[in-house]
Amino acid sequence: GVYINNANTISLQDNIVSSNLGKGIEFINSSNNTIYRNKVGTDVSNSLDRGNASEGIRFSATCNNNIVGGTLPNANIIA
């Protein structure tokens, strides 16, 4: 998966995050980040289940003011 620790003001976009043995995306002690247009737990066509073994997106410890998706065209697909 994608593990981000102590990061601020980054943009995680346009990724396929699936079939991981743990979490799909995890932010720890990270703030003011944007997560959009990602496909989490699915394939490129959005038709196959390619789930992660744990959470699709997780925020741990101190995380503030993060934005996950929104409306199209910036929405994430989370299966």
Side-chain angles (χ1 to χ4, degrees), residues 6-10 27 29-33 62-66:
N6 293 313
N8 296 302
T9 319
I10 66 165
F27 282 83
N29 297 317
S30 300
S31 298
N32 303 308
N33 301 295
T62 305
C63 292
N64 298 296
N65 302 315
N66 294 292

Side-chain angles (χ1 to χ4, degrees), residues 2-3 8 10 12 15-17 20 23 25 32 44-47 50 57-58 61 65 70 73:
V2 179
Y3 177 80
N8 296 302
I10 66 165
L12 182 65
N15 298 287
I16 298 173
V17 184
N20 292 291
K23 298 166 187 72
I25 300 169
N32 303 308
V44 69
S45 69
N46 301 326
S47 62
R50 299 284 187 250
I57 300 175
R58 179 184 170 107
N65 302 315

